[in-house]
Amino acid sequence: MNEIWFALWFFLPAGIANVSPIFTTKIKFLSSLLKPLDFGMKYRGKRIFGDNKTWLGLIGGVIFGLIVIRLQKYGYNHSDWINTISGKINYNDPKILLLGPLLGFGALAGDATESFFKRQAGVKPGHSWVPFDQIDYIVGGLLLSLPIVILSWTNYLSILIVWVLIHLLSSYFGYLIGLKARPI
């Protein structure tokens, strides 16, 4: 059970960053940052990322990653239970504050990379591309966390399983409440 709690806790900055564009893109006074990451450019006649990958979403995800890691650091210093589930991660190490933005940026960069390949494969925006839609942000986040922390293979596997399940459940919930056009 501790492995599941660790997976939830460790990858939380990336998980929050991954959903943050849904909310940050609604902030009216930041609408000037709603520019596509690819600036509308194409590769082989197809958009590089598409309109749904924006600078506001990327910047917001990095900021949310930083906010979450700061909250985790606070929790680590004020809760024995959080200390227990944190495994070998020392949230008092000064470089840990880089972990949140790296996880956030990695999650969104993984998603953007998957979007590139999705566009090239001819999959329409908003349509699912199983299993890549479910793992892109996880792989991206974990890759960019490597300069700060290297986990055990069981940690990586549990993060993958837990966060794929969270992604599937949250996608379906988003569909039920009208945030998404498709259930998965």
Side-chain angles (χ1 to χ4, degrees):
M1 191 65 183
N2 267 357
E3 195 68 37
I4 293 170
W5 285 117
F6 174 81
L8 285 167
W9 179 255
F10 175 79
F11 205 67
L12 190 61
I16 298 294
N18 190 51
V19 298
S20 71
I22 295 169
F23 305 104
T24 57
T25 56
K26 307 270 189 264
I27 302 171
K28 299 278 187 234
F29 72 91
L30 295 176
S31 62
S32 64
L33 292 172
L34 268 174
K35 307 279 187 260
L37 286 174
D38 64 11
F39 298 105
M41 293 187 294
K42 296 180 179 185
Y43 175 75
R44 293 179 15 183
K46 298 175 184 173
R47 284 290 297 277
I48 295 173
F49 301 125
D51 286 335
N52 295 328
K53 305 300 176 228
T54 67
W55 287 101
L56 179 56
L58 181 65
I59 293 166
V62 171
I63 291 169
F64 272 97
L66 178 61
I67 291 168
V68 172
I69 202 77
R70 298 280 309 196
L71 292 171
Q72 286 178 310
K73 180 179 170 67
Y74 179 84
Y76 179 82
N77 287 316
H78 293 87
S79 168
D80 291 335
W81 180 72
I82 289 174
N83 244 309
T84 302
I85 65 167
S86 296
K88 296 178 183 175
I89 309 298
N90 177 5
Y91 283 83
N92 286 320
D93 185 339
K95 68 181 178 184
I96 207 71
L97 292 179
L98 293 174
L99 183 62
L102 285 172
L103 282 166
F105 182 82
L108 295 168
D111 187 49
T113 302
E114 180 263 345
S115 272
F116 169 78
F117 289 108
K118 194 174 181 179
R119 299 291 86 77
Q120 294 302 307
V123 180
K124 294 179 182 175
H127 286 74
S128 188
W129 200 32
V130 177
F132 306 109
D133 279 329
Q134 290 73 36
I135 64 169
D136 55 1
Y137 76 104
I138 301 168
V139 172
L142 290 176
L143 283 175
L144 283 190
S145 74
L146 290 173
I148 305 298
V149 63
I150 296 176
L151 305 173
S152 71
W153 71 270
T154 55
N155 289 150
Y156 288 121
L157 183 61
S158 63
I159 289 167
L160 182 66
I161 292 168
V162 166
W163 284 92
V164 163
L165 290 173
I166 288 172
H167 185 274
L168 292 171
L169 291 171
S170 62
S171 289
Y172 188 69
F173 180 72
Y175 167 74
L176 291 176
I177 65 170
L179 290 175
K180 293 186 63 156
R182 291 178 171 63
I184 295 196

